[in-house]
Amino acid sequence: MLLRLLLLTLLGGLALTLAPGTAAAQTEEPTATEQVSGTLRTNVSGPVEGVEVVVTTADGTEVDTVETDENGQWAVPVPGPGQYTVTINAEDLPEGVVLTGENSRTVTVDAGRNQGVIIALSDGSREAGGGTVRWIQLLVEGLRFGLLIAMAAVGLSLIFGTTGLTNFAHGELVTIGAIAAWFINVQGGVPLIPAALIAMVIGAGVGALNELAIWRPLRRRGTGLVAALVISIGLSLLLRYLYQIIFGGGSEAYADYRGQRAVDYGPFTMTNADLASIVIALVVLLLVAVMLQRTKIGKAMRAVADNRDLAASSGINVNRVILVVWMMGGALAALGGVLLGLSDEVQWDMGFRLLLLMFAGVTLGGLGTAYGALVGSVVVGVFVQMSTLVIPNDVKYVGGLLLLIVILIVRPQGILGSRVRVG
């Protein structure tokens, strides 16, 4: 109990240190806890500025009228939870930009939530270059998304392989990386690249704290895997709502690389930030693969994951290897959170929403194998994005889980997993 209280105190102190003056600012100027927000942009033209946005209640009472800023963004605080209608003035759209659907949407705002609103615009770029553009665009987006899932899932898979722990709190390591980078970048004025490196260090530190303060003492006491799983769920809830208290329930963007215009690559378009995310993820995952294959600690990780007792009897310090795995998993998850926040903005529960897809990628690729997590996550990411060709975008995550079910029926051990005799 003392160690758990120490963990909570350290995490709270760390977050408060990263956000100096936050409590004072909230005291001086209280803000609404619920709001609706969105971004108007197209693939080639980029952000659309100066468009009037009107927000009304369910009975038609106007809440507020705003205009999109230079980044195409807008936000309106609402008086409380409930249904709200968001309408844009189509006459304010620039020449060549048209609506691809209705000019209004009705959304439900939950308590303490910043509800995003998507109103689709088109500048004709998606139809340029023939009928294959749509699926190529989704394939590229799926590859980027899958690599971001893999960044976090590799650590989750290695932790399972070396300790047998199914860690439901791994998504919170993704969130703390994004939130730490946001505080350092926005509040501290540090450029995003060094802020991301500092966030990786913080993620590694939180991972080490998890191992030293919670999981290692529990292993020494002989805590079963089912009990450890339940503890990880409780830890996930604790950290998630701690993040909400400190960060708030809204969506926030980094100060750097906002409102970028997409570059036309022929059959698909992509912003420079998204392209950089793909390159960074590929380089980092390649370095992880080389580390696992070529370095002494990497071989020790694979040995412990294969047979922990045999590895210990051969002279490997198992506890040290597990500590390194937790630190590496925390750093990779934090970097994945930063890259995800770069494209989807930072939210207090972003890691939790990614957790199910991480588990799908790890299980699909083969439990306990880092390469399986990489392959499975990319497959899940690509399939989730390309499934929107036939199913609505709101339920695209269901497609990834259906793929998981189908493949595990055909190959229960996963894509790169090995058969295990049970009984």
Side-chain angles (χ1 to χ4, degrees):
M1 181 61 69
L2 179 60
L3 289 173
R4 294 177 190 173
L5 290 174
L6 177 62
L7 173 63
L8 175 61
T9 303
L10 289 176
L11 288 175
L14 172 64
L16 290 175
T17 301
L18 292 174
T22 301
Q26 291 178 346
T27 302
E28 294 172 4
E29 187 179 351
T31 57
T33 56
E34 297 88 17
Q35 69 174 3
V36 289
S37 63
T39 303
L40 295 183
R41 60 175 298 127
T42 61
N43 292 322
V44 174
S45 303
V48 181
E49 181 181 2
V51 177
E52 183 182 77
V53 180
V54 181
V55 179
T56 58
T57 61
D59 59 5
T61 303
E62 182 177 328
V63 176
D64 198 2
T65 299
V66 297
E67 289 188 355
T68 56
D69 61 16
E70 67 275 7
N71 296 316
Q73 298 177 340
W74 61 271
V76 174
V78 294
Q83 283 193 336
Y84 296 90
T85 300
V86 177
T87 305
I88 70 168
N89 186 357
E91 296 180 357
D92 292 339
L93 296 176
E95 184 178 356
V97 177
V98 296
L99 290 162
T100 58
E102 299 293 331
N103 70 329
S104 65
R105 282 200 61 183
T106 300
V107 296
T108 300
V109 180
D110 297 326
R113 188 78 178 181
N114 175 16
Q115 178 63 49
V117 181
I118 299 176
I119 297 180
L121 302 178
S122 174
D123 54 11
S125 60
R126 284 296 181 93
E127 288 73 29
T132 61
V133 170
R134 173 66 175 164
W135 71 266
I136 293 178
Q137 181 73 37
L138 291 175
L139 177 64
V140 174
E141 292 175 358
L143 177 62
R144 181 192 64 83
F145 188 47
L147 289 172
L148 296 187
I149 297 174
M151 290 276 291
V154 166
L156 179 64
S157 181
L158 286 174
I159 290 170
F160 176 84
T162 54
T163 66
L165 172 66
T166 304
N167 183 24
F168 275 83
H170 196 77
E172 315 323 316
L173 295 175
V174 175
T175 307
I176 199 171
I179 291 178
W182 184 86
F183 275 117
I184 296 169
N185 175 237
V186 177
Q187 303 285 350
V190 179
L192 184 58
I193 294 177
L197 296 177
I198 298 173
M200 290 181 66
V201 175
I202 294 173
V206 174
L209 190 60
N210 270 265
E211 162 64 8
L212 296 175
I214 300 178
W215 304 115
R216 183 176 295 182
L218 289 176
R219 286 198 307 273
R220 287 175 178 169
R221 296 177 59 181
T223 304
L225 293 178
V226 174
L229 183 148
V230 175
I231 292 172
S232 75
I233 295 175
L235 180 62
S236 173
L237 291 170
L238 170 66
L239 294 177
R240 195 183 319 149
Y241 289 103
L242 181 63
Y243 296 157
Q244 186 185 29
I245 292 171
I246 296 169
F247 181 73
S251 300
E252 301 290 347
Y254 296 119
D256 301 344
Y257 311 112
R258 289 194 293 178
Q260 289 192 342
R261 291 192 175 188
V263 179
D264 190 357
Y265 292 97
F268 66 93
T269 61
M270 179 180 293
T271 65
N272 290 332
D274 287 343
L275 179 60
S277 297
I278 292 177
V279 173
I280 291 172
L282 285 173
V283 170
V284 170
L285 291 172
L286 178 62
L287 291 176
V288 170
V290 172
M291 185 273 292
L292 291 173
Q293 292 291 335
R294 301 294 183 183
T295 65
K296 185 177 180 180
I297 187 64
K299 294 176 182 178
M301 288 180 187
R302 291 190 288 121
V304 172
D306 186 57
N307 191 317
R308 186 164 59 180
D309 295 333
L310 183 59
S313 64
S314 64
I316 295 176
N317 188 332
V318 173
N319 281 333
R320 184 172 69 90
V321 170
I322 293 176
L323 178 61
V324 173
V325 166
W326 271 98
M327 294 178 66
M328 186 179 75
L332 290 175
L335 179 59
V338 174
L339 297 180
L340 183 63
L342 185 62
S343 59
D344 296 350
E345 295 193 345
V346 181
Q347 298 178 353
W348 65 278
D349 61 345
M350 57 189 297
F352 174 71
R353 290 186 282 108
L354 196 67
L355 182 64
L356 196 59
L357 294 180
M358 285 193 284
F359 275 123
V362 168
T363 308
L364 183 62
L367 288 172
T369 64
Y371 301 120
L374 169 59
V375 173
S377 298
V378 172
V379 170
V380 168
V382 170
F383 190 84
V384 162
Q385 293 294 338
M386 296 198 68
S387 65
T388 58
L389 289 169
V390 294
I391 63 176
N393 187 71
D394 295 340
V395 295
K396 63 181 180 181
Y397 290 167
V398 176
L401 300 179
L402 289 177
L403 174 67
L404 172 66
I405 294 172
V406 171
I407 290 185
L408 291 184
I409 290 176
V410 178
R411 187 177 172 83
Q413 68 271 31
I415 297 174
L416 298 184
S418 57
R419 288 183 177 271
V420 178
R421 181 177 179 180
V422 179

